[in-house]
Amino acid sequence: MSYLFVDGEEMERKKINNYTFSDIIKLWFWYDLFMEFSFKDWGNHLYNHYFVSKKVRERWWRKLLCCWLIGWFIGSQWIFWFMNSQADYKRRETLASMCDERARMLQDQFNVSMNHVQALAILVSTFHHSMSPSAIDQMTFARYTERTLFERPLTSWVAYAVKVPHSEREEFERKQGWSIKKMVKDEEHPTRGNDSSFEDEPSPIKEEYAPVIFAQDTIKHVISVDLLTGKEDRDNILRARESGKGVLTAPFNLLKSNRLGVILTFAVYKEELPSNATPNERIESAIGYLGGVFDVETLVDKLLHQLACKQSIMVNVYDTTNHLEPISMYGSDVIRNRIYHNSSLNFGDPYRRHEMHCRFKHKRPLPWLAITTSIGSLVIALLVGYIFHATVNRIAKVEDEYLNMIELKIRAEAADVAKSQFLATVSHEIRTPMNGVLGMLQMLMDTNLDITQQDFVTTAQASGKALVALINEVLDQAKIESGKLELEAIKFDIREVLDDVLSLFSVKSLAKDLELAALVSDQVPENLIGDPGRFRQIITNLMGNSIKFTERGHILVTVNLAEEVMGSSVQEGMESTSTNTLSGYPVVSRRHSWEQLNSFNHEGLMIPNSFYVLSSDEIKLVISVEDTGSGIPKESQPQIFTPFMQVGPSIARIHGGTGIGLSISKCLIGLMKGEITVASEPEIGSTFTFTAVFSHGNHLKPNEHRLREFQGMRAVIVDPRLSRSVVTRYHLQRLGISVEIVTDPNQEISHVKNGTSMDVNMVLIEKDIWLKDTDSYSRFLGKLRNSNLPNFPRLFLLANPGNTCMKFVAKESSMGIVPTLVMKPLRSSMLASSLQRALGTEDKENHRHNGLSLSSLRSLLKGRNILVVDDNLVNLRVAAGALKKYGAEVARADSGKKAISMLKPPHQFDACFMDIQMPEMDGFEATKIIRSMESDMNDCIKRNEISPEDCSGVKYWHIPILAMTADVIQATHEKCLKCGMDGYVSKPFEGEELYREVARFFYAKKTQ
Amino acid sequence: MDAKLLQRELLELTTRVLEEGVIDKQFLEIQTLRDEDNPNFTDEVVALFFEDAQKLINEITKALEQGQNYVDFGKISADAHQLKGISASVGAKRITDLCIAFRGFCDQLISEGSLQQLHYEFSLTKNKIESIFKLEKQILAAGGMLPGM
């Protein structure tokens, strides 16, 4: 059996181990999967719903995180690009507008200068050609141009050439006094103003000539040079006279300033020409040409000077007549790949094209805004991603921890269950052999032992009993902790329970000479519904505790209704003051401990939260156990209700015990919806107070057995100590005796004095007081005797059992008083019997079933026919043998069916003992069938179908059937009765029980 | 041998066996059940008990060894109950106690060598009772009287 279970368990454990291990592997695997973004083997891992869902979720989060990061990376780049291009665009815009502005201004300036040159041309045409003789000669021209130079600041010089056809050359040369000279080419470009480049070489013979006749002084040397011999000049002249507009040459280096310049040429016509004149008409009409040199560089420089932010922008002007080879007119060479803006310039010459290129002087600064914005957004995204990641990780971690916790919780719970099982098993295992030990000890005590051996055995048995008690307590604790303990709800009398407990402790109190007493308020109902066993256990625990720690004085148990305590309507005398106590020793006030209960605040009102709301038939009791013991130090008081906790380690050595009792009591009180508290002062004593809720039992029938013989009697208690007399009064009142308390023996009893014919049946006096002051008490008695009372009151002395009682009897008898001693602690039953004995009202019926013995059982069973039914031969024979021993005639049946056939009426059997557990047909079933057979028979008899004579004179068939069972459980018992059985006995037979059961119906039979 | 001596020896043996808890008072009760009509009552009952008990123990053993997959605890429990009943009847205390424990184990599935213990207790009980019977027979042979007759 065992190995099998071990195997199974181990297998289970292995399975668990594999599980967790594989889980870890799977976890890794999932991680790898995620890293590779692989989805294969998906289905293989759907083995555990939770795990999968968790993993999938995790993976999903991770993917999302990745997308987020990548997205924001791209996003930040886009932001950078966008902002950068925006900035770029703006820059270009600025550049374009600046460039266009410059181009326009340059063009305007140039046009202004050109207009001046044209004006000069008109001047020449007006004063030179239209007047005869000419109003202008070289001198005039030079002076005029010199003086109007301010109008043309950009024009270096101007010169005028006339058109001379070849036919007129000689005349012209003669008239002027010089011959027309040829212009010499200098290198590639035609140059002007360079003295050395002109030689006095006459111009070759051509169709026409354009010799310079007027010139500014600075270039006087060009006079007489034929402009048509220079290629550029010739082009210019031809184009100028064709178009009638100012034309420009390609830029060239000016000789003097080494700057770039262009030559501007205007044609001068004989007469005004219409605007739509053909080029030929223009050529025909042209009579001279005016040329000027523009210093473009200076022009641009000046222009730029006028404008602000000259520094930030760089301007290049190009002549782009030939697109492939633009000629730079202004500005240094630049790297062409930089951004620039191109504005076209119109200088009024349709043949020539000019462009202005503008660039920023400085490279564009790094786009810091774009960089910071994009980086910033990336950083924010990263942070958000990190937070997200951390959160997800945290969630995962918490989930893992949660799983761990659950596992730990399960394990802890399993351990708790195991602990309880272990406790239960071990306790049970110890209890069984301990019972053997105790039984053997009991048997040993019955043998002949000498005194020493007897002592040893007694000690051993006491220890054993203590051990069993401890084990029971531990079991209780385990049961309570596992919540398996349930309270019974049965009717009980709390006063009887207290009496029982008092008698239990009376021996112990005798040894210590303590006074024990119980006092129940008369407002507490007689019948309560609750668990008397557990209530008794609590009281026993508390009293046991008190007795352990009390060396002198008393222990008093009081029971009050909670309403009484709260309303301060505690019965007179029930509340003790520091001097007025049971034994005269000071005690800790009960009220003090009551006040510590949560249910009461200092005003004596209920605090709703902590107060269990009672239903209408529930009552709450406040029970106090007061002692005059050693007390509990203040600092230890909170700990005393924890299991195995004692006040100081030395206590255990002195008094023994484990300290589990209070803890159990507290748990039990908790089950009774109450609470416990303690008030204690060292060297004065402790008062434990607890509350408990019980149901009202008054609707149930009151106890019938209450003694009625004392009803109407009167008693007088003479005691100066009120607390003590109240206890006595309580017990007397329970017996139905009305009581008067006299505190001073010299005081007159009220109704005695009044002379009424009230009857005083008894006088109760504490013995120690009697001994102290016999005389005055005797006088008191004498007074009572003298008053005309019909009965002479009996004297009872209340004595603690420790006191010797012999010495005074003679003395009192001499006085004609025979006192009866009543031993404390007072209990109703004991007090009643004492009173009965003294007053002669003893109940004669009280003796019943006292001499229970084998012989009585034998007398019951002798000659009876009994059927024993059991499937097991051993049991059958043993049971039969036992019954035979008591003189019964025994028949045996080994199955239910056989029993039925034997018990089919009519038969001779007086009783049947039936085993319950039998194969085929069990005891219950068999009994049911037998009962139905009997009722059939009875019906027949009733209807006189069968005369009773046929059935051996029996008129009513009902054979007593007793179940024999090994498990004596309540449920079985109930089932027995339900099936028509009359009772049950345990197997193997036990004398007393057998007698009890058999006696029930055999007696009844006799009376029938 | 002297019958008195044997009687004393029997008393000692019985006391010892009682102390060991192998048997209890019920066994003594059974011994008192024999009388002139039926002097072999105890022997018969005890022999029956041994026979039945052996049968039950074998049943339990068999049920447990039947296989690891399925163990009929219901049957074991019933057998243990039976065994408990008969052992209680003859007063074989240790077997009774063991059966109580055994049934408990069946329910809780914990048992550490209880089967072996059952076998052991059975043979021990058998041994002890047989030695008591042997002594009794010797006493009878020596012409002595047995207690309870």
Side-chain angles (χ1 to χ4, degrees):
Chain A
M1 187 166 201
S2 58
Y3 54 82
L4 193 115
F5 294 132
V6 169
D7 273 0
E9 216 171 324
E10 216 162 63
M11 259 163 60
E12 200 70 31
R13 206 178 300 131
K14 261 186 201 159
K15 210 165 118 196
I16 289 164
N17 283 348
N18 287 343
Y19 212 66
T20 47
F21 183 63
S22 72
D23 282 353
I24 293 162
I25 291 172
K26 293 277 157 60
L27 207 105
W28 262 109
F29 194 42
W30 277 111
Y31 183 69
D32 283 351
L33 266 185
F34 166 66
M35 286 321 231
E36 294 164 13
F37 284 97
S38 155
F39 283 84
K40 60 184 177 181
D41 288 355
W42 171 275
N44 293 354
H45 302 281
L46 286 167
Y47 66 102
N48 182 321
H49 174 72
Y50 178 74
F51 235 99
V52 166
S53 69
K54 189 190 157 194
K55 289 329 285 184
V56 165
R57 205 163 62 222
E58 193 171 306
R59 224 173 65 160
W60 196 76
W61 285 130
R62 279 175 182 276
K63 261 161 100 180
L64 194 74
L65 184 65
C66 243
C67 290
W68 167 268
L69 289 182
I70 291 166
W72 269 103
F73 192 70
I74 293 166
S76 70
Q77 279 185 340
W78 181 82
I79 287 171
F80 174 77
W81 172 82
F82 178 75
M83 291 187 72
N84 201 14
S85 62
Q86 283 283 330
D88 227 33
Y89 178 70
K90 244 183 204 159
R91 208 170 138 87
R92 274 173 203 277
E93 288 256 283
T94 320
L95 189 64
S97 68
M98 281 165 86
C99 204
D100 287 343
E101 191 189 355
R102 275 158 185 71
R104 207 173 57 245
M105 287 177 73
L106 184 63
Q107 205 173 298
D108 290 349
Q109 291 265 341
F110 195 85
N111 286 342
V112 168
S113 293
M114 228 157 73
N115 289 345
H116 285 293
V117 175
Q118 198 172 3
L120 204 60
I122 291 164
L123 186 86
V124 170
S125 108
T126 311
F127 292 98
H128 181 62
H129 292 290
S130 305
M131 294 177 85
S132 195
S134 167
I136 301 170
D137 62 355
Q138 164 63 23
M139 279 288 284
T140 324
F141 185 81
R143 254 187 30 227
Y144 176 78
T145 51
E146 203 70 45
R147 286 170 69 180
T148 56
L149 197 58
F150 67 89
E151 275 187 332
R152 312 176 298 274
L154 304 171
T155 322
S156 309
W157 51 262
V158 285
Y160 182 71
V162 287
K163 182 182 172 185
V164 181
H166 187 67
S167 52
E168 293 171 19
R169 178 177 177 170
E170 276 173 44
E171 193 197 339
F172 178 77
E173 278 180 346
R174 199 187 60 240
K175 212 171 163 183
Q176 294 289 338
W178 38 259
S179 61
I180 297 168
K181 286 172 195 135
K182 177 193 172 190
M183 192 184 280
V184 177
K185 278 185 187 166
D186 183 24
E187 294 169 14
E188 290 162 15
H189 300 287
T191 50
R192 294 257 174 112
N194 188 346
D195 291 22
S196 60
S197 70
F198 295 101
E199 284 169 35
D200 287 340
E201 194 181 324
S203 164
I205 296 162
K206 280 186 194 169
E207 209 176 302
E208 58 175 328
Y209 307 93
V212 176
I213 51 169
F214 305 131
Q216 248 176 296
D217 275 349
T218 44
I219 50 158
K220 248 186 183 158
H221 56 275
V222 297
I223 292 173
S224 82
V225 170
D226 179 8
L227 289 177
L228 287 173
T229 51
K231 187 182 179 289
E232 291 278 333
D233 294 316
R234 181 188 163 82
D235 282 353
N236 250 18
I237 288 165
L238 292 181
R239 281 199 295 122
R241 71 181 184 199
E242 262 174 48
S243 64
K245 288 176 182 167
V247 296
L248 297 168
T249 62
F252 60 94
N253 269 334
L254 296 180
L255 286 176
K256 275 189 185 158
S257 55
N258 203 22
R259 285 164 176 268
L260 277 173
V262 288
I263 296 173
L264 172 70
T265 309
F266 276 102
V268 179
Y269 299 101
K270 262 189 285 203
E271 66 268 359
E272 285 282 316
L273 283 171
S275 57
N276 56 354
T278 58
N280 276 339
E281 283 171 356
R282 284 178 192 275
I283 293 167
E284 287 299 312
S285 160
I287 46 168
Y289 321 101
L290 187 77
V293 171
F294 274 103
D295 183 346
V296 179
E297 244 178 309
T298 313
L299 174 69
V300 178
D301 264 347
K302 262 189 185 165
L303 174 73
L304 293 183
H305 266 298
Q306 283 171 16
L307 289 164
C309 56
K310 181 191 152 206
Q311 282 80 13
S312 66
I313 204 162
M314 205 159 77
V315 175
N316 280 55
V317 182
Y318 292 98
D319 182 323
T320 55
T321 312
N322 182 357
H323 274 287
L324 300 171
E325 276 179 69
I327 303 154
S328 174
M329 291 167 73
Y330 176 81
S332 52
D333 276 343
V334 287
I335 312 135
R336 299 202 54 107
N337 56 4
R338 268 211 245 158
I339 58 154
Y340 64 94
H341 184 76
N342 198 345
S343 306
S344 61
L345 293 170
N346 183 12
F347 289 146
D349 178 358
Y351 176 72
R352 294 260 164 210
R353 284 172 207 288
H354 294 89
E355 277 180 6
M356 180 184 256
H357 291 186
C358 297
R359 289 177 174 77
F360 283 104
K361 255 194 191 141
H362 306 289
K363 263 197 172 172
R364 201 171 63 126
L366 280 172
W368 285 115
L369 184 68
I371 290 171
T372 49
T373 310
S374 68
I375 286 179
S377 59
L378 189 62
V379 165
I380 288 169
L382 281 175
L383 279 175
V384 169
Y386 176 75
I387 289 167
F388 182 77
H389 176 71
T391 310
V392 169
N393 270 6
R394 177 84 193 140
I395 288 170
K397 202 177 157 198
V398 167
E399 270 178 354
D400 280 352
E401 275 169 10
Y402 172 70
L403 281 180
N404 275 348
M405 295 285 181
I406 282 183
E407 201 190 326
L408 287 177
K409 182 172 168 268
I410 288 167
R411 258 195 261 163
E413 278 168 358
D416 200 43
V417 170
K419 185 199 92 180
S420 298
Q421 264 182 3
F422 172 78
L423 267 179
T425 315
V426 165
S427 304
H428 181 77
E429 291 302 304
I430 295 173
R431 251 202 309 198
T432 315
M434 271 314 289
N435 285 335
V437 170
L438 289 177
M440 286 307 121
L441 284 173
Q442 190 62 48
M443 286 170 79
L444 186 59
M445 281 169 88
D446 296 342
T447 57
N448 285 329
L449 298 172
D450 63 32
I451 295 166
T452 327
Q453 286 171 329
Q454 191 79 37
D455 186 39
F456 291 166
V457 174
T458 314
T459 314
Q461 200 182 24
S463 313
K465 276 179 180 161
L467 180 57
V468 170
L470 171 65
I471 288 162
N472 286 342
E473 282 184 343
V474 171
L475 262 178
D476 271 353
Q477 179 85 18
K479 258 197 217 161
I480 293 169
E481 273 177 10
S482 58
K484 278 180 193 151
L485 192 95
E486 278 175 14
L487 292 182
E488 282 184 283
I490 52 173
K491 191 182 82 169
F492 73 103
D493 183 356
I494 196 167
R495 294 171 175 85
E496 274 179 14
V497 172
L498 289 179
D499 281 355
D500 281 354
V501 178
L502 286 189
S503 64
L504 188 74
F505 283 107
S506 60
V507 182
K508 274 187 187 168
S509 69
L510 178 84
K512 282 191 170 180
D513 196 14
L514 298 176
E515 191 165 346
L516 299 183
L519 187 54
V520 180
S521 159
D522 51 15
Q523 297 199 30
V524 176
E526 197 168 310
N527 284 318
L528 296 172
I529 292 173
D531 192 334
R534 295 299 173 184
F535 179 72
R536 189 190 154 108
Q537 192 178 357
I538 297 167
I539 295 285
T540 311
N541 274 335
L542 292 178
M543 280 194 78
N545 220 38
S546 290
I547 284 198
K548 216 186 278 177
F549 295 106
T550 307
E551 299 302 325
R552 56 174 177 59
H554 70 268
I555 293 160
L556 172 63
V557 183
T558 59
V559 181
N560 288 88
L561 284 183
E563 286 86 350
E564 279 183 89
V565 173
M566 283 184 295
S568 309
S569 63
V570 178
Q571 255 175 289
E572 178 218 357
M574 273 193 79
E575 205 168 351
S576 48
T577 59
S578 55
T579 51
N580 175 26
T581 66
L582 192 66
S583 61
Y585 289 102
V587 294
V588 178
S589 163
R590 278 196 295 279
R591 180 152 289 281
H592 183 56
S593 72
W594 289 341
E595 278 165 4
Q596 289 186 9
L597 292 170
N598 284 337
S599 318
F600 306 91
N601 65 8
H602 293 290
E603 284 79 44
L605 295 167
M606 298 171 192
I607 298 167
N609 290 352
S610 61
F611 191 76
Y612 172 76
V613 181
L614 299 169
S615 57
S616 60
D617 65 337
E618 281 180 322
I619 52 168
K620 187 173 187 172
L621 299 185
V622 178
I623 300 111
S624 292
V625 178
E626 161 193 302
D627 69 45
T628 56
S630 55
I632 303 159
K634 266 266 173 329
E635 62 271 18
S636 311
Q637 286 181 15
Q639 300 164 11
I640 55 171
F641 296 113
T642 23
F644 303 106
M645 186 63 83
Q646 283 183 330
V647 182
S650 58
I651 300 288
R653 253 175 279 136
I654 301 167
H655 300 287
T658 55
I660 200 173
L662 281 177
S663 154
I664 291 173
S665 300
K666 192 182 180 189
C667 295
L668 291 174
I669 289 162
L671 288 174
M672 292 178 183
K673 298 160 195 154
E675 52 183 328
I676 185 165
T677 175
V678 65
S680 181
E681 265 178 57
E683 302 315 316
I684 289 180
S686 315
T687 302
F688 285 86
T689 298
F690 69 94
T691 61
V693 175
F694 295 106
S695 295
H696 230 285
N698 271 2
H699 56 278
L700 300 167
K701 56 172 185 166
N703 296 348
E704 285 300 327
H705 62 80
R706 216 171 131 168
L707 297 162
R708 298 188 175 279
E709 62 211 276
F710 302 109
Q711 292 287 356
M713 288 193 177
R714 298 188 63 84
V716 174
I717 302 167
V718 188
D719 195 338
R721 215 182 282 159
L722 185 64
S723 300
R724 191 161 53 181
S725 58
V726 166
V727 175
T728 316
R729 182 179 66 185
Y730 151 72
H731 286 288
L732 288 172
Q733 278 175 344
R734 282 176 67 192
L735 296 174
I737 303 170
S738 52
V739 178
E740 182 160 359
I741 296 173
V742 177
T743 47
D744 186 358
N746 300 324
Q747 183 195 334
E748 301 282 319
I749 300 174
S750 53
H751 52 259
V752 174
K753 197 181 175 189
N754 292 345
T756 49
S757 58
M758 291 296 270
D759 194 1
V760 175
N761 302 74
M762 56 197 94
V763 175
L764 296 103
I765 300 172
E766 287 285 332
K767 198 192 79 185
D768 48 349
I769 302 169
W770 173 266
L771 289 181
K772 226 186 275 169
D773 197 4
T774 314
D775 291 342
S776 54
Y777 285 100
S778 308
R779 260 203 312 281
F780 176 77
L781 272 179
K783 259 190 251 170
L784 272 181
R785 187 187 296 191
N786 292 339
S787 59
N788 296 320
L789 293 174
N791 286 330
F792 180 70
R794 297 283 309 200
L795 174 64
F796 292 90
L797 293 182
L798 306 172
N800 273 338
N803 300 357
T804 49
C805 48
M806 290 311 292
K807 57 180 180 182
F808 67 97
V809 176
K811 187 175 163 194
E812 271 72 27
S813 34
S814 68
M815 290 168 67
I817 311 163
V818 187
T820 308
L821 271 180
V822 179
M823 285 300 168
K824 287 188 184 179
L826 292 179
R827 273 126 51 204
S828 283
S829 55
M830 192 263 317
L831 185 63
S833 61
S834 296
L835 295 180
Q836 276 166 354
R837 233 174 295 135
L839 300 170
T841 56
E842 200 168 342
D843 182 8
K844 302 290 190 298
E845 279 176 38
N846 247 357
H847 295 287
R848 273 180 70 190
H849 308 319
N850 271 356
L852 175 66
S853 65
L854 187 84
S855 57
S856 60
L857 194 55
R858 188 183 284 272
S859 68
L860 268 182
L861 291 172
K862 193 160 178 67
R864 305 259 178 196
N865 279 316
I866 292 174
L867 179 67
V868 181
V869 189
D870 197 324
D871 65 304
N872 189 283
L873 278 181
V874 179
N875 292 343
L876 189 59
R877 293 199 65 166
V878 171
L883 289 172
K884 234 182 242 171
K885 196 176 81 177
Y886 298 124
E889 298 292 323
V890 182
R892 296 182 293 205
D894 60 359
S895 76
K897 281 182 181 159
K898 212 175 212 173
I900 291 166
S901 67
M902 287 172 86
L903 285 175
K904 186 169 171 56
H907 57 73
Q908 297 295 321
F909 293 107
D910 294 312
C912 171
F913 286 82
M914 175 102 70
D915 185 28
I916 291 175
Q917 280 196 348
M918 285 187 293
E920 288 182 54
M921 183 184 286
D922 66 14
F924 297 130
E925 208 179 329
T927 309
K928 274 185 202 157
I929 293 170
I930 291 166
R931 288 290 178 240
S932 70
M933 288 193 313
E934 283 175 343
S935 67
D936 286 351
M937 191 70 180
N938 290 336
D939 285 350
C940 290
I941 293 172
K942 239 183 213 162
R943 283 179 261 128
N944 289 325
E945 284 169 24
I946 304 166
S947 66
E949 284 72 34
D950 295 340
C951 319
S952 25
V954 182
K955 289 192 186 95
Y956 182 80
W957 286 95
H958 182 93
I959 184 166
I961 300 177
L962 289 172
M964 290 193 295
T965 170
D967 314 293
V968 190
I969 313 168
Q970 192 68 22
T972 321
H973 177 53
E974 277 165 12
K975 203 170 172 195
C976 288
L977 299 181
K978 219 169 108 189
C979 294
M981 292 180 167
D982 298 86
Y984 69 95
V985 289
S986 57
K987 282 195 295 200
F989 295 150
E990 201 250 317
E992 207 168 315
E993 189 193 37
L994 185 62
Y995 175 83
R996 205 168 55 227
E997 288 295 323
V998 171
R1000 269 196 332 182
F1001 52 88
F1002 278 175
Y1003 265 130
K1005 209 161 188 174
K1006 249 181 205 168
T1007 54
Q1008 253 181 4
Chain B
M1 211 186 280
D2 189 11
K4 274 249 163 61
L5 217 70
L6 282 169
Q7 271 172 347
R8 198 162 155 186
E9 200 181 319
L10 177 65
L11 188 69
E12 276 171 11
L13 178 66
T14 314
T15 318
R16 206 167 58 239
V17 177
L18 267 173
E19 275 172 10
E20 286 167 356
V22 175
I23 55 172
D24 61 9
K25 278 188 262 181
Q26 178 64 21
F27 184 77
L28 304 181
E29 285 284 318
I30 287 180
Q31 278 187 324
T32 63
L33 293 183
R34 59 189 161 192
D35 47 24
E36 291 77 18
D37 308 336
N38 196 358
N40 290 329
F41 177 80
T42 316
D43 293 8
E44 281 170 21
V45 167
V46 170
L48 253 173
F49 163 69
F50 284 147
E51 198 180 303
D52 282 7
Q54 188 66 62
K55 226 188 288 171
L56 286 168
I57 291 172
N58 287 345
E59 289 280 310
I60 293 172
T61 314
K62 213 168 83 190
L64 273 176
E65 283 170 354
Q66 213 165 38
Q68 304 201 335
N69 300 331
Y70 174 72
V71 178
D72 187 354
F73 286 114
K75 178 163 168 45
I76 292 171
S77 185
D79 286 344
H81 181 70
Q82 278 270 346
L83 186 57
K84 188 189 107 186
I86 58 173
S87 49
S89 285
V90 296
K93 180 121 186 358
R94 270 159 80 154
I95 296 180
T96 314
D97 289 347
L98 196 61
C99 283
I100 295 168
F102 208 82
R103 285 191 76 197
F105 291 149
C106 276
D107 296 339
Q108 295 173 18
L109 303 184
I110 47 164
S111 155
E112 202 61 48
S114 44
L115 186 66
Q116 284 90 332
Q117 204 188 342
L118 189 61
H119 279 287
Y120 166 74
E121 295 291 0
F122 178 67
S123 58
L124 179 80
T125 310
K126 199 169 171 181
N127 226 333
K128 298 280 182 191
I129 291 177
E130 271 167 358
S131 56
I132 289 174
F133 284 169
K134 205 168 130 196
L135 257 178
E136 284 180 350
K137 287 209 178 77
Q138 283 176 358
I139 292 168
L140 285 174
M145 281 288 286
L146 290 180
M149 280 187 77

